[in-house]
Protein backbone atom coordinates (compact mmCIF):
# COMPACT_ATOMS: atom_id res chain seq x y z
CA UNK A 1 0.00 0.00 0.00
CA UNK A 2 2.75 2.39 0.98
CA UNK A 3 4.64 1.54 -2.17
CA UNK A 4 1.53 2.37 -4.21
CA UNK A 5 1.28 5.76 -2.57
CA UNK A 6 4.96 6.35 -3.24
CA UNK A 7 4.47 5.44 -6.89
CA UNK A 8 1.55 7.84 -7.21
CA UNK A 9 3.55 10.58 -5.54
CA UNK A 10 6.44 9.94 -7.90
CA UNK A 11 4.15 10.06 -10.94
CA UNK A 12 2.57 13.29 -9.67
CA UNK A 13 5.97 14.76 -9.05
CA UNK A 14 7.12 13.79 -12.53
CA UNK A 15 4.01 15.20 -14.16
CA UNK A 16 4.22 18.45 -12.21
CA UNK A 17 7.92 18.70 -13.08
CA UNK A 18 7.11 18.06 -16.71
CA UNK A 19 4.34 20.66 -16.73
CA UNK A 20 6.63 23.14 -14.97
CA UNK A 21 9.30 22.53 -17.63
CA UNK A 22 6.71 22.93 -20.32
CA UNK A 23 5.57 26.20 -18.87
CA UNK A 24 9.14 27.43 -18.76
CA UNK A 25 9.65 26.34 -22.35
CA UNK A 26 6.45 28.11 -23.35
CA UNK A 27 7.68 31.31 -21.74
CA UNK A 28 11.01 31.03 -23.54
CA UNK A 29 9.26 30.32 -26.83
CA UNK A 30 7.00 33.31 -26.30
CA UNK A 31 10.02 35.50 -25.72
CA UNK A 32 11.76 34.09 -28.79
CA UNK A 33 8.67 34.75 -30.86
CA UNK A 34 8.78 38.39 -29.91
CA UNK A 35 12.34 38.55 -31.25
CA UNK A 36 14.37 37.86 -28.13
CA UNK A 37 17.64 36.41 -29.46
CA UNK A 38 18.78 35.29 -26.01
CA UNK A 39 15.61 33.26 -25.55
CA UNK A 40 16.07 31.65 -28.93
CA UNK A 41 19.69 30.89 -28.08
CA UNK A 42 18.42 29.08 -25.00
CA UNK A 43 16.10 27.00 -27.15
CA UNK A 44 19.01 26.13 -29.43
CA UNK A 45 21.24 25.13 -26.53
CA UNK A 46 18.50 22.90 -25.12
CA UNK A 47 18.00 21.03 -28.39
CA UNK A 48 21.31 21.24 -30.23
CA UNK A 49 22.48 17.75 -29.27
CA UNK A 50 19.25 16.14 -30.42
CA UNK A 51 19.21 18.11 -33.66
CA UNK A 52 22.81 17.27 -34.53
CA UNK A 53 22.47 13.59 -33.62
CA UNK A 54 19.32 13.08 -35.66
CA UNK A 55 20.71 15.00 -38.60
CA UNK A 56 23.93 12.99 -38.53
CA UNK A 57 22.03 9.71 -38.38
CA UNK A 58 19.84 10.76 -41.23
CA UNK A 59 22.58 12.18 -43.42
CA UNK A 60 25.62 10.20 -42.25
CA UNK A 61 27.95 13.14 -42.59
CA UNK A 62 29.21 15.62 -40.08
CA UNK A 63 29.41 18.57 -42.46
CA UNK A 64 25.95 17.92 -43.83
CA UNK A 65 24.60 17.43 -40.32
CA UNK A 66 26.07 20.77 -39.27
CA UNK A 67 24.49 22.53 -42.24
CA UNK A 68 21.21 20.75 -41.60
CA UNK A 69 21.25 21.74 -37.93
CA UNK A 70 21.77 25.34 -38.90
CA UNK A 71 18.89 25.17 -41.35
CA UNK A 72 16.71 23.47 -38.73
CA UNK A 73 17.24 26.32 -36.29
CA UNK A 74 16.59 28.91 -38.95
CA UNK A 75 13.34 27.20 -39.92
CA UNK A 76 12.47 26.86 -36.28
CA UNK A 77 12.85 30.59 -35.80
CA UNK A 78 10.97 31.36 -38.98
CA UNK A 79 7.98 29.16 -38.11
CA UNK A 80 8.01 29.67 -34.38
CA UNK A 81 4.81 31.69 -34.60
CA UNK A 82 3.08 28.60 -36.01
CA UNK A 83 3.97 26.45 -33.03
CA UNK A 84 0.94 25.43 -31.04
CA UNK A 85 1.67 25.21 -27.33
CA UNK A 86 -0.79 22.31 -27.05
CA UNK A 87 1.45 20.01 -29.07
CA UNK A 88 4.77 18.50 -28.05
CA UNK A 89 7.66 20.79 -28.90
CA UNK A 90 10.12 17.94 -29.45
CA UNK A 91 7.76 16.28 -31.93
CA UNK A 92 7.40 19.52 -33.83
CA UNK A 93 11.18 19.93 -33.81
CA UNK A 94 11.68 16.36 -35.08
CA UNK A 95 9.36 17.08 -37.95
CA UNK A 96 11.47 20.07 -38.95
CA UNK A 97 14.65 18.01 -38.64
CA UNK A 98 13.29 15.22 -40.83
CA UNK A 99 12.06 17.69 -43.46
CA UNK A 100 15.38 19.52 -43.55
CA UNK A 101 17.28 16.23 -43.78
CA UNK A 102 15.04 15.03 -46.59
CA UNK A 103 15.72 18.22 -48.52
CA UNK A 104 19.44 17.86 -47.91
CA UNK A 105 19.39 14.19 -48.90
CA UNK A 106 17.56 14.98 -52.12
CA UNK A 107 20.25 17.48 -53.00
CA UNK A 108 23.00 15.01 -52.26
CA UNK A 109 21.36 11.65 -53.01
CA UNK A 110 24.10 9.40 -51.71
CA UNK A 111 24.06 8.29 -48.11
CA UNK A 112 26.53 5.45 -48.56
CA UNK A 113 29.35 7.50 -50.04
CA UNK A 114 28.70 10.11 -47.39
CA UNK A 115 29.34 7.59 -44.60
CA UNK A 116 32.34 6.23 -46.44
CA UNK A 117 33.74 9.74 -46.57
CA UNK A 118 33.03 10.09 -42.88
CA UNK A 119 34.97 6.90 -42.13
CA UNK A 120 37.84 8.04 -44.28
CA UNK A 121 37.83 11.39 -42.56
CA UNK A 122 38.11 9.55 -39.23
CA UNK A 123 35.11 11.24 -37.68
CA UNK A 124 33.52 8.09 -36.30
CA UNK A 125 34.03 7.79 -32.57
CA UNK A 126 35.51 4.32 -32.58
CA UNK A 127 37.88 5.16 -35.40
CA UNK A 128 39.35 8.07 -33.58
CA UNK A 129 39.89 5.91 -30.53
CA UNK A 130 43.52 5.18 -29.90
CA UNK A 131 42.65 1.88 -28.29
CA UNK A 132 43.96 -0.87 -30.56
CA UNK A 133 42.44 -3.70 -28.64
CA UNK A 134 40.29 -6.41 -30.18
CA UNK A 135 37.11 -4.85 -28.78
CA UNK A 136 37.82 -1.61 -30.59
CA UNK A 137 38.29 -3.51 -33.86
CA UNK A 138 34.97 -5.31 -33.35
CA UNK A 139 33.23 -2.03 -32.67
CA UNK A 140 34.66 -0.53 -35.82
CA UNK A 141 33.39 -3.51 -37.74
CA UNK A 142 29.94 -3.19 -36.18
CA UNK A 143 29.83 0.48 -37.06
CA UNK A 144 30.68 -0.33 -40.63
CA UNK A 145 27.89 -2.95 -40.77
CA UNK A 146 25.34 -0.52 -39.40
CA UNK A 147 26.45 2.22 -41.75
CA UNK A 148 26.21 -0.02 -44.76
CA UNK A 149 22.92 -1.51 -43.61
CA UNK A 150 21.45 1.98 -43.17
CA UNK A 151 22.65 2.92 -46.61
CA UNK A 152 20.46 0.15 -48.08
CA UNK A 153 17.31 1.76 -46.65
CA UNK A 154 15.10 4.20 -48.43
CA UNK A 155 14.71 7.70 -47.11
CA UNK A 156 11.42 6.96 -45.35
CA UNK A 157 12.67 3.68 -43.91
CA UNK A 158 15.76 5.40 -42.57
CA UNK A 159 13.61 8.09 -41.00
CA UNK A 160 11.41 5.57 -39.18
CA UNK A 161 14.41 3.54 -38.00
CA UNK A 162 16.22 6.63 -36.77
CA UNK A 163 13.17 7.91 -34.93
CA UNK A 164 11.89 4.60 -33.59
CA UNK A 165 15.00 2.51 -32.94
CA UNK A 166 17.70 5.13 -32.44
CA UNK A 167 15.80 8.07 -30.97
CA UNK A 168 13.43 5.78 -29.09
CA UNK A 169 10.12 7.40 -30.01
CA UNK A 170 6.93 5.39 -30.04
CA UNK A 171 5.29 4.24 -33.26
CA UNK A 172 2.46 6.73 -32.78
CA UNK A 173 4.89 9.60 -32.23
CA UNK A 174 6.83 8.60 -35.35
CA UNK A 175 3.59 8.45 -37.32
CA UNK A 176 2.65 11.91 -36.12
CA UNK A 177 6.05 13.36 -36.99
CA UNK A 178 6.10 11.82 -40.45
CA UNK A 179 2.47 12.60 -41.10
CA UNK A 180 1.51 8.98 -41.77
CA UNK A 181 -0.64 6.40 -40.07
CA UNK A 182 0.76 4.07 -37.37
CA UNK A 183 0.02 1.11 -39.64
CA UNK A 184 2.17 2.59 -42.41
CA UNK A 185 4.94 3.29 -39.95
CA UNK A 186 4.80 -0.28 -38.62
CA UNK A 187 5.04 -1.61 -42.14
CA UNK A 188 8.05 0.61 -42.86
CA UNK A 189 9.69 -0.38 -39.58
CA UNK A 190 9.19 -4.06 -40.37
CA UNK A 191 10.73 -3.69 -43.84
CA UNK A 192 13.65 -1.65 -42.55
CA UNK A 193 14.45 -4.07 -39.71
CA UNK A 194 14.30 -7.00 -42.10
CA UNK A 195 16.72 -5.25 -44.48
CA UNK A 196 19.15 -4.54 -41.65
CA UNK A 197 18.97 -8.13 -40.45
CA UNK A 198 19.50 -9.47 -43.96
CA UNK A 199 22.51 -7.23 -44.41
CA UNK A 200 23.93 -8.31 -41.07
CA UNK A 201 23.39 -12.00 -41.89
CA UNK A 202 25.03 -11.60 -45.27
CA UNK A 203 27.96 -9.79 -43.71
CA UNK A 204 28.44 -12.43 -41.02
CA UNK A 205 28.19 -15.27 -43.54
CA UNK A 206 30.73 -13.52 -45.77
CA UNK A 207 33.06 -13.12 -42.79
CA UNK A 208 32.73 -16.76 -41.88
CA UNK A 209 33.45 -17.80 -45.48
CA UNK A 210 36.55 -15.59 -45.55
CA UNK A 211 37.81 -17.03 -42.28
CA UNK B 1 -0.57 -18.90 -36.13
CA UNK B 2 1.69 -20.40 -38.76
CA UNK B 3 5.36 -19.61 -39.45
CA UNK B 4 4.56 -17.43 -42.47
CA UNK B 5 2.36 -15.14 -40.40
CA UNK B 6 4.89 -15.18 -37.57
CA UNK B 7 7.71 -14.17 -39.95
CA UNK B 8 5.71 -11.04 -40.79
CA UNK B 9 5.20 -10.12 -37.15
CA UNK B 10 8.63 -10.97 -35.69
CA UNK B 11 10.34 -7.73 -36.90
CA UNK B 12 7.73 -5.77 -34.96
CA UNK B 13 7.66 -8.16 -32.01
CA UNK B 14 11.32 -7.56 -31.11
CA UNK B 15 10.56 -4.02 -29.93
CA UNK B 16 6.94 -4.55 -28.94
CA UNK B 17 5.49 -2.62 -31.87
CA UNK B 18 2.62 -5.06 -32.27
CA UNK B 19 -0.94 -4.51 -31.20
CA UNK B 20 -1.87 -6.09 -27.87
CA UNK B 21 -4.08 -8.71 -29.47
CA UNK B 22 -1.20 -9.78 -31.76
CA UNK B 23 1.37 -10.17 -29.00
CA UNK B 24 -0.14 -13.19 -27.30
CA UNK B 25 -0.40 -15.46 -30.39
CA UNK B 26 3.14 -14.68 -31.55
CA UNK B 27 4.57 -15.37 -28.10
CA UNK B 28 2.79 -18.72 -28.04
CA UNK B 29 4.09 -19.50 -31.52
CA UNK B 30 7.67 -18.61 -30.60
CA UNK B 31 7.50 -20.89 -27.60
CA UNK B 32 6.49 -23.76 -29.84
CA UNK B 33 8.53 -23.07 -33.03
CA UNK B 34 12.34 -23.31 -32.85
CA UNK B 35 13.04 -21.85 -36.28
CA UNK B 36 10.89 -18.77 -35.63
CA UNK B 37 12.50 -18.35 -32.22
CA UNK B 38 15.88 -18.40 -33.94
CA UNK B 39 14.74 -15.74 -36.39
CA UNK B 40 13.50 -13.60 -33.52
CA UNK B 41 16.91 -13.88 -31.84
CA UNK B 42 18.61 -12.74 -35.03
CA UNK B 43 16.34 -9.72 -35.16
CA UNK B 44 17.19 -8.91 -31.58
CA UNK B 45 20.90 -9.22 -32.40
CA UNK B 46 20.54 -6.79 -35.30
CA UNK B 47 18.69 -4.43 -32.96
CA UNK B 48 21.51 -4.50 -30.46
CA UNK B 49 23.93 -3.92 -33.33
CA UNK B 50 21.91 -0.89 -34.31
CA UNK B 51 22.04 0.43 -30.76
CA UNK B 52 25.81 0.11 -30.80
CA UNK B 53 25.81 2.71 -33.54
CA UNK B 54 27.47 5.42 -31.56
CA UNK B 55 27.32 9.04 -32.43
CA UNK B 56 30.46 11.00 -33.24
CA UNK B 57 31.52 13.46 -30.63
CA UNK B 58 30.19 16.91 -31.27
CA UNK B 59 32.22 19.42 -29.36
CA UNK B 60 30.93 22.67 -28.00
CA UNK B 61 32.87 24.57 -30.67
CA UNK B 62 30.66 22.99 -33.35
CA UNK B 63 27.50 23.95 -31.52
CA UNK B 64 28.73 27.44 -30.82
CA UNK B 65 29.56 27.90 -34.49
CA UNK B 66 26.08 26.75 -35.52
CA UNK B 67 24.33 28.96 -33.00
CA UNK B 68 26.41 31.99 -33.93
CA UNK B 69 25.66 31.50 -37.61
CA UNK B 70 21.95 31.15 -36.89
CA UNK B 71 21.80 34.23 -34.68
CA UNK B 72 23.72 36.22 -37.24
CA UNK B 73 21.31 35.20 -39.99
CA UNK B 74 18.33 36.00 -37.80
CA UNK B 75 19.74 39.44 -37.14
CA UNK B 76 20.33 40.01 -40.84
CA UNK B 77 17.59 38.17 -42.68
CA UNK B 78 18.25 36.87 -46.16
CA UNK B 79 16.45 38.42 -49.09
CA UNK B 80 14.89 35.04 -49.84
CA UNK B 81 13.50 34.94 -46.30
CA UNK B 82 11.88 38.30 -46.85
CA UNK B 83 10.43 37.31 -50.20
CA UNK B 84 9.32 33.80 -49.28
CA UNK B 85 6.40 34.81 -47.03
CA UNK B 86 5.01 36.93 -49.88
CA UNK B 87 5.74 34.45 -52.66
CA UNK B 88 3.96 31.43 -51.39
CA UNK B 89 1.97 29.11 -53.64
CA UNK B 90 -1.30 30.95 -53.20
CA UNK B 91 0.06 34.34 -54.15
CA UNK B 92 2.05 32.86 -57.01
CA UNK B 93 -1.09 31.19 -58.36
CA UNK B 94 -3.18 34.33 -57.95
CA UNK B 95 -0.52 36.46 -59.64
CA UNK B 96 -0.16 34.07 -62.57
CA UNK B 97 -3.95 33.89 -62.98
CA UNK B 98 -4.19 37.67 -62.97
CA UNK B 99 -1.39 37.83 -65.57
CA UNK B 100 -3.21 35.36 -67.83
CA UNK B 101 -6.48 37.28 -67.57
CA UNK B 102 -4.75 40.60 -68.20
CA UNK B 103 -2.74 39.37 -71.17
CA UNK B 104 -5.74 37.65 -72.76
CA UNK B 105 -7.75 40.83 -72.28
CA UNK B 106 -5.06 42.84 -74.05
CA UNK B 107 -4.92 40.35 -76.91
CA UNK B 108 -8.70 40.39 -77.34
CA UNK B 109 -8.79 44.17 -77.21
CA UNK B 110 -6.09 44.46 -79.86
CA UNK B 111 -7.95 42.08 -82.15
CA UNK B 112 -11.14 44.15 -82.19
CA UNK B 113 -11.01 46.64 -85.09
CA UNK B 114 -11.58 50.20 -84.12
CA UNK B 115 -14.83 50.42 -86.14
CA UNK B 116 -16.36 47.56 -84.20
CA UNK B 117 -16.34 49.47 -81.00
CA UNK B 118 -19.91 49.69 -79.87
CA UNK B 119 -21.40 53.12 -79.78
CA UNK B 120 -24.54 53.38 -77.80
CA UNK B 121 -27.16 55.50 -79.43
CA UNK B 122 -29.60 56.61 -76.80
CA UNK B 123 -32.46 57.67 -79.04
CA UNK B 124 -32.94 57.49 -82.77
CA UNK B 125 -34.65 60.83 -82.86
CA UNK B 126 -31.62 62.55 -81.44
CA UNK B 127 -29.61 64.61 -83.80
CA UNK B 128 -26.76 62.63 -85.25
CA UNK B 129 -23.94 63.98 -87.26
CA UNK B 130 -24.24 63.41 -90.94
CA UNK B 131 -22.24 60.63 -92.55
CA UNK B 132 -21.62 59.01 -89.20
CA UNK B 133 -21.21 55.29 -89.47
CA UNK B 134 -22.27 53.18 -86.54
CA UNK B 135 -21.25 49.60 -86.58
CA UNK B 136 -23.00 47.53 -83.98
CA UNK B 137 -22.71 43.97 -83.02
CA UNK B 138 -26.08 42.28 -83.19
CA UNK B 139 -27.99 43.30 -80.16
CA UNK B 140 -31.39 42.17 -78.99
CA UNK B 141 -32.91 45.18 -80.62
CA UNK B 142 -31.73 44.20 -84.10
CA UNK B 143 -32.18 40.47 -83.83
CA UNK B 144 -34.65 39.99 -86.59
CA UNK B 145 -34.66 37.62 -89.41
CA UNK B 146 -33.68 39.55 -92.52
CA UNK B 147 -36.37 39.78 -95.14
CA UNK B 148 -35.63 38.32 -98.52
CA UNK B 149 -36.02 40.19 -101.71
CA UNK B 150 -39.31 38.49 -102.49
CA UNK B 151 -40.78 39.56 -99.20
CA UNK B 152 -39.82 43.15 -99.58
CA UNK B 153 -42.86 45.11 -100.66
CA UNK B 154 -42.59 46.50 -104.10
CA UNK B 155 -41.78 50.12 -104.23
CA UNK B 156 -44.75 52.28 -104.90
CA UNK B 157 -45.19 55.91 -105.05
CA UNK B 158 -46.31 57.49 -101.88
CA UNK B 159 -44.98 54.70 -99.66
CA UNK B 160 -42.73 56.82 -97.69
CA UNK B 161 -43.19 55.55 -94.22
CA UNK B 162 -42.29 52.34 -92.49
CA UNK B 163 -45.81 51.83 -91.23
CA UNK B 164 -47.17 52.05 -94.72
CA UNK B 165 -44.56 49.66 -96.01
CA UNK B 166 -45.39 47.14 -93.38
CA UNK B 167 -49.09 47.46 -93.92
CA UNK B 168 -48.59 46.80 -97.58
CA UNK B 169 -46.43 43.79 -96.89
CA UNK B 170 -49.03 42.37 -94.53
CA UNK B 171 -51.70 42.75 -97.11
CA UNK B 172 -49.80 40.70 -99.60
CA UNK B 173 -48.52 38.10 -97.17
CA UNK B 174 -51.08 37.80 -94.40
CA UNK B 175 -49.56 34.58 -92.98
CA UNK B 176 -46.15 36.12 -92.40
CA UNK B 177 -47.03 39.03 -90.26
CA UNK B 178 -44.26 38.46 -87.86
CA UNK B 179 -41.64 38.93 -90.52
CA UNK B 180 -42.79 42.43 -91.20
CA UNK B 181 -43.17 43.51 -87.68
CA UNK B 182 -40.89 46.18 -86.48
CA UNK B 183 -40.43 47.23 -82.98
CA UNK B 184 -43.13 49.74 -82.26
CA UNK B 185 -40.77 52.28 -80.81
CA UNK B 186 -38.56 52.13 -83.79
CA UNK B 187 -41.42 52.43 -86.28
CA UNK B 188 -42.97 55.34 -84.46
CA UNK B 189 -39.67 57.10 -84.06
CA UNK B 190 -38.78 56.64 -87.68
CA UNK B 191 -42.24 57.57 -88.93
CA UNK B 192 -42.29 60.66 -86.80
CA UNK B 193 -38.96 61.58 -88.17
CA UNK B 194 -40.24 61.13 -91.66
CA UNK B 195 -43.51 62.84 -91.05
CA UNK B 196 -42.06 65.82 -89.32
CA UNK B 197 -38.75 66.15 -91.01
CA UNK B 198 -39.32 65.11 -94.58
CA UNK B 199 -41.01 68.45 -94.84
CA UNK B 200 -43.54 69.20 -97.52
CA UNK B 201 -41.81 67.01 -100.05
CA UNK B 202 -43.64 63.89 -99.08
CA UNK B 203 -47.01 65.55 -98.73
CA UNK B 204 -46.82 67.04 -102.17
CA UNK B 205 -45.66 63.79 -103.69
CA UNK B 206 -42.52 65.42 -104.76
CA UNK B 207 -40.77 62.09 -104.85
CA UNK B 208 -43.65 60.18 -106.41
CA UNK B 209 -41.58 59.08 -109.32
CA UNK B 210 -38.68 58.02 -107.26
CA UNK B 211 -38.05 54.39 -106.52
CA UNK B 212 -38.20 53.78 -102.81
CA UNK B 213 -35.47 51.62 -101.37
CA UNK B 214 -35.75 48.93 -98.80
CA UNK B 215 -33.06 48.08 -96.34
CA UNK B 216 -32.17 44.61 -95.28
CA UNK B 217 -34.85 44.58 -92.64
CA UNK B 218 -37.56 45.46 -95.10
CA UNK B 219 -38.17 48.97 -93.98
CA UNK B 220 -39.45 51.24 -96.61
CA UNK B 221 -37.37 54.29 -96.60
CA UNK B 222 -37.87 57.38 -98.58
CA UNK B 223 -34.95 57.86 -100.87
CA UNK B 224 -32.98 60.98 -101.13
CA UNK B 225 -34.68 63.36 -103.51
CA UNK B 226 -33.30 63.55 -106.98
CA UNK B 227 -32.53 66.90 -108.32
CA UNK B 228 -34.81 66.69 -111.34
CA UNK B 229 -37.95 65.88 -109.36
CA UNK B 230 -37.70 68.48 -106.71
CA UNK B 231 -39.36 71.79 -107.16
CA UNK B 232 -36.76 74.30 -107.93
CA UNK B 233 -37.89 76.63 -105.21
CA UNK B 234 -37.50 73.98 -102.51
CA UNK B 235 -34.11 73.15 -101.16
CA UNK B 236 -33.03 69.54 -101.37
CA UNK B 237 -33.50 67.94 -97.95
CA UNK B 238 -30.31 66.49 -96.64
CA UNK B 239 -30.53 62.85 -95.70
CA UNK B 240 -28.69 61.39 -92.79
CA UNK B 241 -27.17 58.06 -93.71
CA UNK B 242 -26.42 55.68 -90.92
CA UNK B 243 -24.86 52.26 -91.49
CA UNK B 244 -25.05 49.55 -88.92
CA UNK B 245 -22.82 46.50 -89.38
CA UNK B 246 -24.24 43.48 -87.62
CA UNK B 247 -22.13 40.61 -86.40
CA UNK B 248 -23.01 38.78 -89.56
CA UNK B 249 -20.72 40.32 -92.20
CA UNK B 250 -23.41 39.77 -94.86
CA UNK B 251 -25.95 41.92 -93.08
CA UNK B 252 -25.53 45.62 -93.00
CA UNK B 253 -28.27 47.95 -91.89
CA UNK B 254 -28.36 51.21 -93.79
CA UNK B 255 -30.52 53.83 -92.30
CA UNK B 256 -31.51 56.98 -94.08
CA UNK B 257 -33.34 59.75 -92.37
CA UNK B 258 -33.83 63.39 -93.16
CA UNK B 259 -31.85 65.86 -91.24
CA UNK B 260 -33.32 68.72 -89.26
CA UNK B 261 -34.73 71.25 -91.69
CA UNK B 262 -32.67 74.30 -91.96
CA UNK B 263 -34.08 77.75 -91.50
CA UNK B 264 -34.50 78.09 -95.21
CA UNK B 265 -36.55 74.92 -95.35
CA UNK B 266 -38.74 76.09 -92.52
CA UNK B 267 -39.30 79.33 -94.34
CA UNK B 268 -40.43 77.45 -97.41
CA UNK B 269 -42.85 75.49 -95.30
Amino acid sequence: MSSNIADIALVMDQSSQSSRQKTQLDIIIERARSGDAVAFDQIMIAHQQRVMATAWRMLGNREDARDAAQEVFLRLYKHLHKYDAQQEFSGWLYRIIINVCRDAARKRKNYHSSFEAEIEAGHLPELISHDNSEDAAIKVEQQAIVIKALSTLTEKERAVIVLRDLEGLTTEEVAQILGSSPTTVRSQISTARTKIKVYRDRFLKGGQRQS
Amino acid sequence: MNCKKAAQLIPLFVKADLEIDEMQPIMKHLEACDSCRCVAKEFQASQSLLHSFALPEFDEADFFQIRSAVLEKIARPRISDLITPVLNWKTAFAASFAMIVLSSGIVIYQRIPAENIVVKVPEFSEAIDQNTNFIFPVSAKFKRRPVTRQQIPKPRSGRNSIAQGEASARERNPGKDSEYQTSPERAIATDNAFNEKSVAANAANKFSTNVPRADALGYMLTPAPQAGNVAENLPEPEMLRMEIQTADPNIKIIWLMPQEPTNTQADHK
Side-chain angles (χ1 to χ4, degrees), chain B residues 150-208:
Chain B
Q150 289 76 21
Q151 292 167 333
I152 298 169
K154 284 181 183 175
R156 284 184 200 172
S157 59
R159 292 201 185 282
N160 48 15
S161 78
I162 290 172
Q164 284 173 342
E166 282 180 4
S168 167
R170 275 195 211 98
E171 281 168 19
R172 279 178 284 108
N173 296 300
K176 298 182 177 178
D177 274 356
S178 62
E179 291 184 1
Y180 298 101
Q181 279 176 355
T182 49
S183 64
E185 300 89 350
R186 188 178 174 189
I188 290 163
T190 319
D191 280 350
N192 287 342
F194 274 89
N195 292 335
E196 291 170 14
K197 297 163 192 171
S198 292
V199 213
N202 288 338
N205 282 332
K206 299 289 181 190
F207 311 124
S208 59

Side-chain angles (χ1 to χ4, degrees), chain A residues 37 40-41 44-45 48-49 52-53 56-57 62 66 69-71 73-74 77-78 111 115 118 123-126 128 142-143 145-147 150 161 164-166 171 186 189-190 193-194 196-197 200-201, chain B residues 7-8 10-19 22 39 42-43 45-47 49-60 62-71 73-74 78 80-81 84-85:
Chain A
F40 189 70
D41 196 30
M44 285 197 290
I45 290 168
Q48 59 191 9
Q49 186 69 37
M52 271 296 272
W56 187 83
R57 281 166 170 161
R62 182 186 283 256
R66 197 178 291 159
Q70 198 172 308
E71 184 61 29
F73 287 129
L74 282 171
Y77 184 78
K78 193 174 156 186
Y111 181 87
F115 260 121
E118 193 81 337
H123 285 148
L124 292 180
E126 271 64 38
I128 58 172
Q142 283 178 343
Q143 289 281 343
I145 294 167
V146 175
I147 287 165
L150 283 175
I161 282 292
R164 174 72 187 98
D165 290 351
L166 299 176
T171 311
R186 277 194 199 98
I189 288 172
S190 176
R193 282 178 187 162
T194 309
I196 291 168
K197 179 193 161 287
R200 176 185 164 273
D201 293 349
Chain B
Q8 291 174 351
I10 286 169
L12 297 172
F13 169 77
V14 290
K15 280 201 83 173
D17 289 314
L18 289 171
E19 301 285 347
E22 290 173 325
V39 171
E42 284 173 2
F43 267 104
S46 72
Q47 275 295 304
L49 177 72
L50 203 59
H51 286 292
S52 71
F53 185 39
L55 283 168
E57 288 175 8
F58 302 115
D59 49 8
E60 182 52 35
D62 283 341
F63 293 129
F64 181 75
Q65 201 180 344
I66 291 166
R67 291 201 313 270
S68 305
V70 170
L71 290 173
K73 282 184 180 176
I74 288 169
R78 292 176 288 187
S80 60
D81 291 340
T84 311

Side-chain angles (χ1 to χ4, degrees), chain B residues 85-98:
Chain B
V86 182
L87 286 179
N88 54 24
W89 283 109
K90 283 179 186 173
T91 49
F93 179 75
S96 57
F97 182 73

Side-chain angles (χ1 to χ4, degrees), chain A residues 28-35 40 43 74-84 89 92 96:
Chain A
I28 293 170
I29 287 169
E30 202 55 46
R31 278 169 51 200
R33 270 180 190 163
S34 58
F40 189 70
I43 294 172
L74 282 171
R75 281 197 201 180
L76 182 68
Y77 184 78
K78 193 174 156 186
H79 300 289
L80 204 56
H81 65 280
K82 291 180 187 171
Y83 168 67
D84 180 12
F89 183 78
W92 190 64
I96 296 174

